[in-house]
């Protein structure tokens, strides 16, 4: 154990620039993907509440996409001419993977609110937009944020696969270690992705608790 620890320290010291680049690229990829996911799936989730039949169709599509193995979905993306190898394909694939958890959190967060509260809001003269903005969304924010949190942490793990389509992220450290049979690189990459996931989960959990207290 001591020998492994010393080797890991040496690895991080000698590969500092490479490691920093990989971590930076991993964070950029996930953050870009999650921002696009929020901009796309929250409005879609809201629209789904208007028609249950359409909601069921969209959920079926989302579940089907979610069941596709990550490497297969990344591979499909690079076959699309205007995407190809690199970040564009990686971002689209990650946005698609976030579809199911985010849509479910938005849809069920907005549709499971006590109807008596909605009727009371209507009785006060509120229209549908006002009810959504001032009643439904505030009451559903905690559930929506939970879906966002799950998506964020999930994408951190899945994003490592993007190294096979040209992304130089933490997955590159692990894949290079496997190719070279370098145990230190494998452990270092695994450690980095684990620490990143746990750190973001801790941060998002802290934010979520504060949102719960606020609302």
């Amino acid at each position: 154990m001591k020998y492994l620890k010393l080797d890991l320290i040496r690895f991080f010291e000698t590969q500092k620039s490479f490691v920093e680049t990989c971590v930076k690229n991993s964070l950029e990829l996930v953050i870009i993907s999650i921002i696009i996911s929020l901009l796309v799936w929250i409005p879609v989730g809201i629209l789904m509440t208007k028609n249950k039949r359409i909601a069921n169709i969209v959920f079926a599509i989302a579940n089907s996409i979610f069941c596709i193995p990550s490497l297969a979905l990344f591979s499909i993306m690079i076959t699309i001419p205007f995407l190809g190898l690199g970040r564009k394909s990686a971002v689209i694939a990650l946005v698609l993977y976030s579809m199911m958890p985010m849509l479910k959190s938005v849809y069920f967060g907005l549709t499971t609110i006590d109807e008596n509260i909605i009727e009371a809001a209507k009785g006060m003269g509120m229209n549908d937009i006002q009810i959504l903005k001032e009643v439904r969304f505030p009451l559903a924010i905690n559930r929506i944020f939970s879906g966002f949190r799950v998506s964020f942490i999930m994408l951190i793990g899945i994003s490592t696969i993007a190294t096979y389509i040209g992304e130089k992220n933490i997955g590159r450290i692990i894949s290079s270690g496997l190719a070279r049979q370098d145990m230190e690189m494998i452990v270092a990459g695994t450690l980095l992705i684990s620490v990143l996931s746990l750190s973001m989960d801790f941060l998002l959990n802290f934010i979520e608790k504060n949102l719960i207290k606020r609302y």
Side-chain angles (χ1 to χ4, degrees), residues 36 42 62 65 97 145 165 189 202:
I36 294 174
I42 288 181
I65 292 173
Y97 268 120
F145 191 87
I165 62 168
F202 178 81

PDB file of all heavy atoms in Angstrom, residues 36 42 62 65 97 145 165 189 202:
ATOM      1  N   ILE A  36     -27.002  22.623 -21.252  1.00  0.00           N
ATOM      2  CA  ILE A  36     -27.875  22.375 -22.409  1.00  0.00           C
ATOM      3  C   ILE A  36     -29.058  21.501 -22.009  1.00  0.00           C
ATOM      4  O   ILE A  36     -30.194  21.730 -22.439  1.00  0.00           O
ATOM      5  CB  ILE A  36     -27.077  21.705 -23.552  1.00  0.00           C
ATOM      6  CG1 ILE A  36     -26.022  22.674 -24.089  1.00  0.00           C
ATOM      7  CG2 ILE A  36     -28.014  21.266 -24.686  1.00  0.00           C
ATOM      8  CD1 ILE A  36     -25.094  22.076 -25.123  1.00  0.00           C
ATOM      9  N   ILE A  42     -36.078  20.877 -19.263  1.00  0.00           N
ATOM     10  CA  ILE A  42     -37.064  21.509 -18.375  1.00  0.00           C
ATOM     11  C   ILE A  42     -38.265  22.027 -19.173  1.00  0.00           C
ATOM     12  O   ILE A  42     -39.417  21.728 -18.820  1.00  0.00           O
ATOM     13  CB  ILE A  42     -36.424  22.625 -17.518  1.00  0.00           C
ATOM     14  CG1 ILE A  42     -35.521  22.006 -16.442  1.00  0.00           C
ATOM     15  CG2 ILE A  42     -37.502  23.491 -16.858  1.00  0.00           C
ATOM     16  CD1 ILE A  42     -34.858  23.010 -15.521  1.00  0.00           C
ATOM     17  N   ALA A  62     -37.222   8.276 -24.133  1.00  0.00           N
ATOM     18  CA  ALA A  62     -36.162   8.553 -23.154  1.00  0.00           C
ATOM     19  C   ALA A  62     -35.635   7.268 -22.530  1.00  0.00           C
ATOM     20  O   ALA A  62     -34.416   7.094 -22.364  1.00  0.00           O
ATOM     21  CB  ALA A  62     -36.688   9.488 -22.068  1.00  0.00           C
ATOM     22  N   ILE A  65     -33.438   5.375 -25.068  1.00  0.00           N
ATOM     23  CA  ILE A  65     -32.116   5.980 -25.210  1.00  0.00           C
ATOM     24  C   ILE A  65     -31.249   5.650 -23.998  1.00  0.00           C
ATOM     25  O   ILE A  65     -30.064   5.328 -24.125  1.00  0.00           O
ATOM     26  CB  ILE A  65     -32.236   7.509 -25.372  1.00  0.00           C
ATOM     27  CG1 ILE A  65     -32.879   7.839 -26.718  1.00  0.00           C
ATOM     28  CG2 ILE A  65     -30.861   8.183 -25.245  1.00  0.00           C
ATOM     29  CD1 ILE A  65     -33.198   9.308 -26.905  1.00  0.00           C
ATOM     30  N   TYR A  97     -28.470  11.259 -22.554  1.00  0.00           N
ATOM     31  CA  TYR A  97     -28.477  10.418 -21.355  1.00  0.00           C
ATOM     32  C   TYR A  97     -29.159  11.102 -20.171  1.00  0.00           C
ATOM     33  O   TYR A  97     -29.730  10.443 -19.305  1.00  0.00           O
ATOM     34  CB  TYR A  97     -27.048  10.022 -20.965  1.00  0.00           C
ATOM     35  CG  TYR A  97     -26.616   8.713 -21.565  1.00  0.00           C
ATOM     36  CD1 TYR A  97     -25.523   8.643 -22.409  1.00  0.00           C
ATOM     37  CD2 TYR A  97     -27.308   7.530 -21.294  1.00  0.00           C
ATOM     38  CE1 TYR A  97     -25.133   7.442 -22.986  1.00  0.00           C
ATOM     39  CE2 TYR A  97     -26.928   6.334 -21.859  1.00  0.00           C
ATOM     40  CZ  TYR A  97     -25.840   6.287 -22.698  1.00  0.00           C
ATOM     41  OH  TYR A  97     -25.465   5.102 -23.272  1.00  0.00           O
ATOM     42  N   PHE A 145     -34.614  19.641  -8.719  1.00  0.00           N
ATOM     43  CA  PHE A 145     -33.186  19.735  -8.401  1.00  0.00           C
ATOM     44  C   PHE A 145     -32.592  18.356  -8.140  1.00  0.00           C
ATOM     45  O   PHE A 145     -31.433  18.101  -8.485  1.00  0.00           O
ATOM     46  CB  PHE A 145     -32.963  20.634  -7.187  1.00  0.00           C
ATOM     47  CG  PHE A 145     -31.521  20.984  -6.968  1.00  0.00           C
ATOM     48  CD1 PHE A 145     -30.955  22.084  -7.603  1.00  0.00           C
ATOM     49  CD2 PHE A 145     -30.718  20.205  -6.147  1.00  0.00           C
ATOM     50  CE1 PHE A 145     -29.615  22.395  -7.418  1.00  0.00           C
ATOM     51  CE2 PHE A 145     -29.377  20.513  -5.964  1.00  0.00           C
ATOM     52  CZ  PHE A 145     -28.821  21.614  -6.604  1.00  0.00           C
ATOM     53  N   ILE A 165     -13.887   8.779 -28.272  1.00  0.00           N
ATOM     54  CA  ILE A 165     -14.278   9.495 -29.488  1.00  0.00           C
ATOM     55  C   ILE A 165     -13.532  10.829 -29.582  1.00  0.00           C
ATOM     56  O   ILE A 165     -14.003  11.764 -30.229  1.00  0.00           O
ATOM     57  CB  ILE A 165     -15.806   9.706 -29.570  1.00  0.00           C
ATOM     58  CG1 ILE A 165     -16.323  10.550 -28.411  1.00  0.00           C
ATOM     59  CG2 ILE A 165     -16.537   8.387 -29.638  1.00  0.00           C
ATOM     60  CD1 ILE A 165     -17.761  11.020 -28.598  1.00  0.00           C
ATOM     61  N   GLY A 189      -6.571   7.623 -12.433  1.00  0.00           N
ATOM     62  CA  GLY A 189      -7.760   8.043 -13.159  1.00  0.00           C
ATOM     63  C   GLY A 189      -9.037   7.703 -12.408  1.00  0.00           C
ATOM     64  O   GLY A 189      -9.968   8.518 -12.327  1.00  0.00           O
ATOM     65  N   PHE A 202     -21.405  16.218  -2.968  1.00  0.00           N
ATOM     66  CA  PHE A 202     -21.420  16.925  -1.678  1.00  0.00           C
ATOM     67  C   PHE A 202     -21.894  18.366  -1.871  1.00  0.00           C
ATOM     68  O   PHE A 202     -22.733  18.868  -1.120  1.00  0.00           O
ATOM     69  CB  PHE A 202     -20.024  16.906  -1.058  1.00  0.00           C
ATOM     70  CG  PHE A 202     -19.928  17.660   0.244  1.00  0.00           C
ATOM     71  CD1 PHE A 202     -20.339  17.084   1.438  1.00  0.00           C
ATOM     72  CD2 PHE A 202     -19.427  18.963   0.259  1.00  0.00           C
ATOM     73  CE1 PHE A 202     -20.260  17.795   2.638  1.00  0.00           C
ATOM     74  CE2 PHE A 202     -19.348  19.673   1.450  1.00  0.00           C
ATOM     75  CZ  PHE A 202     -19.766  19.085   2.643  1.00  0.00           C
TER      76      PHE A 202
END
